[in-house]
């Protein structure tokens, strides 16, 4: 199936099964804003717990924070967001559509990469076992020609971005004959900068209202509380502050479902270190965060680092952890060595010292900072993309059937077990209800007695429920039930008394955290 189709199905599935709804749907929706349904909110909470516990529970020197969304407007002047949190925009005069100029160029680069991949795959089929990919890439003239184009374009693009040379960015679009996907023409406006922060007013106009911003990242709430936490928590460097919270960006190219939203949630951790040690910590956090992703078991080949060519104004090293989404490798998390930029800026703009007294060195300094920053929503999309599976099953009459399964890691699954009486009589529903009432204190359980047992299994597969417990006519006789495993569809007979332990072992967050 084409990857575009897989993605469309995934979006439809998220809506049909109560994971994600378009916001304000009865009013035709609000672009790039989404609501999480009954299962979505559970998955989201589980993702947040996995992140929070891996930071705050597992590390003595990392503590949490929940700072306000509204902050003093000077914070955004100090952080550079008022002046530099911009996207380069370009409009197509025929379709009247607006694009991010850098995204148009990146998509063009991805098409060139695709051409190479297709050549390689064709050759692999032709030469089968004798195929030497490295040699092919180094000698095939078409691959080489495209690689030269990619390298030249990358270098030119990086320079234009670094110099914030908007005229050159437009020239790159023209020289590479990039067309508008809607009108198909190259009738472009000039490129201009657009600030991504939402603003509103605090206080009534009569009192003299103040323009304030909806935070575009949660990180600044951590920086301005750095000394509050350090002093009250008697924290010693190196230490970290972790925070989960909403962020807002007036994204121009808001596409790909919950990948790029205007209101989203971030999980950010700022790790304060001695100046000079930051690149060592940067390396350590790169590894730690990659392990956190890969522990979910979606295949290490689906992740990669993408080191930044253009560094943000505050960074001296930066990388993204990318995942192979149905629409290609894309960023899920950013890891940045933010130097002492933010704390120094706040020191200057607030006039308050942002220094740490290091008892071991006997001196005060402004610490350097390593940041790990991941979007909850993007992580959610990564997980459902990886978990969504369509399986072809052979039926007894020889025909085939498609089973849709969300192969979510058990700890993340919104519902851990569904308890189902085979029939709605003979005392079976009462036994099922008793099991649910007993296990609901340990796990999120669902009682399900509607439709045939086969349809109920399918419904739970589609939600991603790892265990289905069926109560049949043998249950009242010997207190046993069948437990059906979502991924293998295998069934086994166990006693009711064994259920808690069997399920606990498989859905525990602990075993996941112990892998880190
Ligand atoms: N404090 C650093 C920072 O905000 P970023 O790379 O702009 O860095 C960090 O964002 C993460 O937040 C991204 O890797 C992504 O997961 C998420 N994110 C950023 N913009 C987003 C958006 N518009 N919609 C959903 N998630 C977004």
């Amino acid at each position: 199936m084409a990857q575009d189709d897989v993605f469309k199905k995934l979006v439809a599935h998220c809506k049909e099964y109560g994971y994600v709804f378009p916001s304000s749907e009865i009013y035709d929706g609000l672009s790039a804003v989404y609501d999480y349904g009954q299962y979505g909110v559970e998955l989201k909470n589980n993702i947040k717990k996995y992140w929070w516990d891996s930071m705050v529970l597992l590390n003595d020197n990392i503590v949490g924070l929940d700072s306000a969304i509204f902050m003093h407007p000077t914070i955004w002047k100090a952080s550079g967001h008022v002046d530099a949190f911009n996207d380069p925009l370009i409009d197509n005069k025929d379709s009247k559509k607006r694009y991010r100029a850098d995204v148009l160029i990146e998509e063009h680069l991805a098409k060139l990469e695709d051409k190479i991949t297709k050549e390689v795959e064709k050759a692999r089929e032709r030469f089968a076992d004798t195929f030497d990919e490295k040699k092919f890439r180094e000698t095939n003239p078409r691959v080489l020609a495209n690689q030269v184009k990619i390298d030249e374009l990358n270098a030119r693009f990086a320079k234009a971005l670094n110099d914030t040379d908007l005229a050159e960015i437009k020239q790159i679009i023209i020289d590479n004959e990039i067309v508008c996907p809607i009108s198909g023409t190259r009738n472009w406006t000039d490129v201009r900068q657009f600030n991504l922060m939402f603003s509103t007013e605090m206080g009534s106009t009569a009192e003299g209202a103040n323009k304030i911003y909806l935070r575009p990242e949660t990180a600044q709430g951590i920086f301005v509380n750095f000394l509050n936490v350090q002093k009250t928590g008697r924290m010693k460097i190196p230490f970290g502050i972790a925070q989960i919270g909403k962020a807002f960006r007036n994204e121009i190219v808001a596409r790909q479902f919950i990948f790029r939203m205007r209101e989203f949630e971030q999980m950010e951790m700022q790790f304060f270190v001695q100046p000079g040690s930051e690149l060592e910590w940067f390396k350590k956090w790169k590894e730690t965060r990659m392990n956190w992703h890969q522990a979910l078991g979606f295949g290490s080949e689906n992740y990669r680092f993408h080191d930044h060519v253009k560094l943000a104004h505050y960074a001296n090293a930066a990388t993204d952890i990318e995942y192979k989404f149905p629409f290609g490798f894309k960023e899920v998390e950013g890891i940045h060595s933010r130097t002492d930029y933010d704390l120094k800026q706040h020191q200057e703009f607030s006039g308050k010292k942002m220094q740490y007294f290091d008892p071991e060195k006997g001196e005060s300094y402004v610490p350097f900072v390593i940041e790990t920053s991941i979007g909850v929503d993007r992580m959610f999309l990564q997980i459902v993309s990886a978990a969504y599976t369509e399986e072809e099953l052979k039926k007894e009459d020889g025909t085939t059937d498609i089973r849709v399964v969300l192969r979510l890691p058990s700890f993340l699954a919104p519902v851990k077990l569904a308890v189902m009486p085979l029939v709605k009589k003979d005392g079976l529903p009462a036994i099922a209800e008793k099991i649910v009432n007993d296990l609901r204190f340990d796990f999120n359980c669902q009682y399900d007695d509607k439709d045939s047992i086969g349809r109920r299994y399918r419904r739970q597969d589609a939600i991603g429920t790892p265990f289905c417990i069926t109560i049949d006519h043998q249950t009242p006789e010997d207190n046993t039930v069948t437990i059906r495993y979502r991924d293998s569809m295998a069934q086994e007979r166990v006693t009711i008394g064994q259920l808690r332990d069997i399920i606990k072992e498989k859905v525990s967050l602990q075993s996941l955290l112990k892998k880190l």
Side-chain angles (χ1 to χ4, degrees):
M1 203 188 316
Q3 291 301 295
D4 265 6
D5 294 340
V6 174
F7 193 59
K8 277 189 197 137
K9 284 190 174 188
L10 178 67
V11 176
H13 188 87
C14 282
K15 175 151 188 259
E16 189 181 347
Y17 287 93
Y19 272 87
V20 183
F21 306 127
S23 158
S24 323
E25 199 184 4
I26 58 170
Y27 292 97
D28 297 331
L30 184 65
S31 172
V33 186
Y34 290 88
D35 299 336
Y36 287 84
Q38 64 277 26
Y39 299 121
V41 65
E42 298 286 347
L43 173 56
K44 221 176 162 202
N45 285 341
N46 293 340
I47 294 170
K48 288 192 261 185
K49 184 154 176 56
Y50 176 41
W51 184 86
W52 187 266
D53 284 2
S54 73
M55 289 289 176
V56 177
L57 201 76
L58 295 193
N59 295 288
D60 292 337
N61 60 350
I62 299 182
V63 292
L65 178 77
D66 185 11
S67 68
I69 288 173
F70 290 149
M71 290 194 275
H72 196 287
T74 309
I75 286 177
W76 304 111
K77 192 76 191 146
S79 66
H81 284 81
V82 171
D83 297 322
F85 195 51
N86 300 319
D87 273 346
L89 292 191
I90 191 163
D91 290 50
N92 182 267
K93 292 183 196 162
D94 298 320
S95 68
K96 309 271 182 277
K97 289 277 172 206
R98 180 162 291 175
Y99 299 93
R100 266 178 60 178
D102 54 333
V103 170
L104 285 178
I105 297 171
E106 274 164 12
E107 284 174 354
H108 182 71
L109 277 163
K111 277 186 195 150
L112 294 175
E113 297 272 5
D114 268 3
K115 280 188 185 167
I116 295 184
T117 311
K118 278 190 187 132
E119 289 288 347
V120 171
E121 289 317 311
K122 252 184 5 204
R124 191 190 309 283
E125 261 172 44
R126 194 159 6 114
F127 299 114
D129 289 347
T130 58
F131 182 56
D132 179 345
E133 181 174 335
K134 187 165 176 287
K135 194 164 166 212
F136 181 78
R137 281 180 182 270
E138 285 167 0
T139 52
N140 180 276
R142 279 186 301 273
V143 169
L144 287 175
N146 276 318
Q147 195 54 54
V148 168
K149 275 191 203 164
I150 290 171
D151 294 343
E152 284 176 359
L153 179 52
N154 256 327
R156 194 176 163 195
F157 180 38
K159 183 166 183 334
L161 284 177
N162 268 321
D163 300 348
T164 327
D165 185 344
L166 302 183
E168 170 68 351
I169 292 175
K170 179 176 179 184
Q171 201 54 48
I172 292 176
I173 290 174
I174 290 170
D175 292 350
N176 284 275
E177 303 181 349
I178 297 174
V179 296
C180 164
I182 307 285
S183 66
T185 69
R186 284 180 238 149
N187 195 7
W188 297 111
T189 62
D190 285 344
V191 178
R192 48 200 198 294
Q193 296 285 29
F194 176 86
N195 193 285
L196 297 184
M197 278 197 295
F198 282 105
S199 63
T200 185
E201 295 195 336
M202 186 175 258
S204 71
T205 325
E207 285 168 19
N210 268 330
K211 180 175 179 180
I212 57 165
Y213 298 99
L214 272 71
R215 65 181 180 198
E217 62 171 11
T218 65
Q220 296 304 324
I222 298 182
F223 289 124
V224 297
N225 278 294
F226 151 69
L227 278 182
N228 282 338
V229 175
Q230 188 272 317
K231 288 196 172 127
T232 56
R234 294 183 298 143
M235 308 300 291
K236 278 201 180 129
I237 272 182
F239 75 90
I241 305 178
Q243 166 158 246
I244 300 180
K246 288 267 181 166
F248 305 83
R249 294 183 191 178
N250 196 1
E251 298 282 3
I252 301 312
V253 184
R255 269 184 305 177
Q256 286 154 333
F257 192 37
I258 55 173
F259 183 82
R260 198 177 298 287
M261 303 157 88
R262 297 202 163 104
E263 173 181 340
F264 59 101
E265 217 169 347
Q266 286 186 316
M267 307 190 277
E268 299 201 295
M269 196 278 300
Q270 311 295 323
F271 198 71
F272 301 90
V273 302
Q274 265 186 25
S277 67
E278 74 276 7
L279 293 180
E280 221 174 283
W281 281 108
F282 173 72
K283 198 165 152 244
K284 186 184 168 299
W285 277 108
K286 261 177 89 166
E287 261 168 48
T288 306
R289 295 305 303 149
M290 184 58 104
N291 284 346
W292 183 88
H293 286 274
Q294 295 190 351
L296 289 173
F298 290 124
S300 52
E301 69 285 3
N302 292 317
Y303 300 85
R304 71 180 187 194
F305 287 115
H306 172 244
D307 295 331
H308 286 205
V309 186
K310 186 197 177 202
L311 291 173
H313 57 276
Y314 48 74
N316 70 359
T319 195
D320 296 334
I321 293 180
E322 294 188 339
Y323 177 76
K324 195 174 177 192
F325 285 94
F327 42 85
F329 270 104
K330 296 277 175 209
E331 171 188 350
V332 181
E333 170 156 6
I335 301 158
H336 310 118
S337 173
R338 283 181 85 131
T339 65
D340 55 358
Y341 176 85
D342 301 84
L343 290 178
K344 274 208 167 138
Q345 287 290 102
H346 289 308
Q347 186 165 269
E348 189 186 324
F349 278 73
S350 69
K352 310 269 165 31
K353 277 220 153 64
M354 297 299 278
Q355 292 189 343
Y356 166 79
F357 176 74
D358 191 326
E360 271 152 39
K361 293 182 98 183
E363 63 181 45
S364 295
Y365 53 81
V366 177
F368 273 47
V369 174
I370 306 301
E371 167 184 77
T372 71
S373 175
I374 171 170
V376 180
D377 313 85
R378 209 171 276 184
M379 187 62 199
F380 183 112
L381 183 60
Q382 189 260 287
I383 288 167
V384 290
S385 308
Y388 181 87
T389 324
E390 293 186 6
E391 277 176 15
E392 216 169 76
L393 297 182
K394 273 240 151 32
K395 294 205 289 195
E396 276 168 17
D397 63 6
T399 59
T400 53
D401 193 9
I402 300 291
R403 177 173 90 116
V404 176
V405 201
L406 269 193
R407 289 176 180 271
L408 296 169
S410 298
F411 162 72
L412 294 178
V415 180
K416 303 295 189 247
L417 70 152
V419 186
M420 310 171 167
L422 189 60
V423 290
K424 279 198 254 182
K425 54 183 183 179
D426 305 330
L428 305 190
I431 301 176
E433 277 167 19
K434 189 168 176 311
I435 294 175
V436 169
N437 285 331
D438 185 32
L439 294 181
R440 71 165 76 247
F441 299 99
D442 299 280
F443 316 111
N444 190 338
C445 310
Q446 200 168 79
Y447 173 88
D448 192 359
D449 67 6
K450 290 186 193 68
D451 303 320
S452 71
I453 197 78
R455 288 187 72 169
R456 281 182 264 170
Y457 284 155
R458 289 303 171 80
R459 195 157 52 226
Q460 297 298 334
D461 289 343
I463 294 168
T465 308
F467 308 102
C468 288
I469 312 300
T470 306
I471 320 303
D472 57 23
H473 288 97
Q474 196 181 322
T475 310
E477 285 168 23
D478 63 4
N479 249 356
T480 62
V481 293
T482 54
I483 180 163
R484 171 194 182 264
Y485 299 93
R486 176 197 66 200
D487 296 345
S488 62
M489 292 190 289
Q491 300 193 15
E492 96 182 283
R493 202 132 198 122
V494 300
T495 65
I496 294 174
Q498 287 174 293
L499 284 177
R500 179 175 282 107
D501 285 345
I502 294 177
I503 296 168
K504 203 173 212 156
E505 196 223 309
K506 301 224 159 75
V507 305
S508 104
L509 170 60
Q510 267 186 27
S511 39
L512 195 55
L513 291 175
K514 279 182 183 159
K515 281 197 223 164
L516 299 178

